[in-house]
Amino acid sequence: MSGMDIRLIRAFVAVAEHGNYHKAAEVLHLTQPALSKQIQALEQQIGGNLFQRGRHGAALSELGHQLYSSANELLEQHHRFLLYAQDIQKKSHERLCIGFGISSFNNVPAWINTFQSQQPDTEISVSHIPSSVQCNLLVTRELHIGFVRLPAAESLNSLLIKRENLRLAVPSDKNLQQKSVLDLLLSNSILQMNPTQSPCLAEQTALYLQKNGIITQPLSVTDDIHALLALVAAGCRWLPLAMVSHCYQKASVISCLRAWSYAIRKQASQVGILVWSGTLS
């Protein structure tokens, strides 16, 4: 027996409940001949008559009586299945997974609050994730939107949202009056975040050093920008090359950490919003 059309089961139950083809056809919004064809198709699949037709309508046959309760159960299961599927689809539409890194720390929360005030029925999940990890999650569709440092993989759509200056943080006891940024970089070791966590930043750092003829290998001792600045503030001999403007926008705040910030304006970083290249649903 081939797969059975649920419409045939629904037609059988409707005729059984109303005992009349005309009334059942009205309930199902069918013509009576179309309903008769559905019953005949079901009887042909089953191999027996489901009704005994007479002057007073259609009465269930012995076979029809035996199948009636099972047919009702099938319709109920079909109804529950549709409701379950719709519920899953509804939840998948309403949940929005967003990733952001430290480069968008100052902007994303405010944007999310604005969006949620306009779309109160949408559940938003926000996670602080490194740019490289966000890109992987976007490709596998575990993340819907990501705020990352550019460039991005070709399989992702991107939109530039802002540019940043690369900044150099140094201990506050350094005499900066007579020294340029290049002098500082040439006379001190450089501390940076772990490239596996911030590959774009590491690439930008290497590019800046290369363009300025500085031959050195930055030391990677931490995955966290706050820990990196704390090491500098504590008087470590290393100097971090890092994006710090989005964390500490005012010199007075950095001074509290006993570190100053130098902007390297010749090397800019791009921050963008990414989505998977397919259609979001």
Side-chain angles (χ1 to χ4, degrees), residues 177-275:
Q177 300 299 323
Q178 304 298 326
K179 290 188 176 182
S180 67
V181 172
L182 293 181
D183 291 333
L184 288 169
L185 292 174
L186 289 169
S187 60
N188 295 272
S189 298
I190 301 172
L191 189 67
Q192 71 174 5
M193 290 179 63
N194 192 330
T196 59
Q197 293 296 318
S198 299
C200 298
L201 181 57
E203 182 180 349
Q204 291 158 7
T205 299
L207 181 62
Y208 179 83
L209 296 175
Q210 181 182 0
K211 284 184 176 180
N212 289 276
I214 302 174
I215 302 175
T216 185
Q217 181 63 44
L219 303 175
S220 303
V221 295
T222 180
D223 297 341
D224 182 68
I225 185 67
H226 303 285
L228 199 65
L229 289 171
L231 288 173
V232 178
C236 294
R237 66 186 184 90
W238 303 306
L239 301 176
L241 193 62
M243 294 292 178
V244 297
S245 61
H246 44 75
C247 297
Y248 307 101
Q249 293 184 340
K250 297 180 180 179
S252 59
V253 177
I254 299 179
S255 297
C256 294
L257 291 173
R258 297 185 57 77
W260 295 95
S261 173
Y262 260 7
I264 303 174
R265 301 187 182 278
K266 293 183 180 180
Q267 182 71 21
S269 171
Q270 295 182 339
V271 180
I273 178 173
L274 299 184
V275 297

Side-chain angles (χ1 to χ4, degrees), residues 1 10 37 72 76 79 107 109 152-154 164 198 219 240 264:
M1 182 185 297
R10 189 175 290 111
K37 287 183 179 180
N72 269 311
E76 181 61 29
H79 179 66
N107 305 104
E154 292 182 358
E164 288 184 323
S198 299
L219 303 175
I264 303 174

Side-chain angles (χ1 to χ4, degrees), residues 78-124:
H78 180 260
H79 179 66
R80 288 199 301 267
F81 171 79
L82 291 179
L83 290 178
Y84 179 63
Q86 291 168 2
D87 186 54
I88 292 177
Q89 185 73 356
K90 181 179 179 181
K91 288 181 179 178
S92 67
H93 276 286
E94 291 182 347
R95 183 176 178 83
L96 186 63
C97 298
I98 301 175
F100 75 101
I102 201 166
S103 57
S104 53
F105 186 81
N106 287 324
N107 305 104
V108 173
W111 292 339
I112 290 176
N113 285 338
T114 300
F115 175 81
Q116 197 145 40
S117 66
Q118 298 173 355
Q119 304 290 336
D121 296 331
T122 301
E123 180 184 353
I124 299 178

Side-chain angles (χ1 to χ4, degrees), residues 32-90:
Q32 189 167 328
L35 177 59
S36 297
K37 287 183 179 180
Q38 288 187 354
I39 296 297
Q40 290 170 8
L42 182 59
E43 289 176 333
Q44 186 175 7
Q45 284 189 341
I46 292 173
N49 293 328
L50 296 172
F51 297 99
Q52 294 176 346
R53 297 169 178 81
R55 290 184 303 172
H56 302 291
L60 285 169
S61 65
E62 182 177 348
L63 176 62
H65 275 292
Q66 293 176 354
L67 295 177
Y68 177 69
S69 60
S70 296
N72 269 311
E73 289 177 7
L74 282 174
L75 290 180
E76 181 61 29
Q77 289 176 4
H78 180 260
H79 179 66
R80 288 199 301 267
F81 171 79
L82 291 179
L83 290 178
Y84 179 63
Q86 291 168 2
D87 186 54
I88 292 177
Q89 185 73 356
K90 181 179 179 181

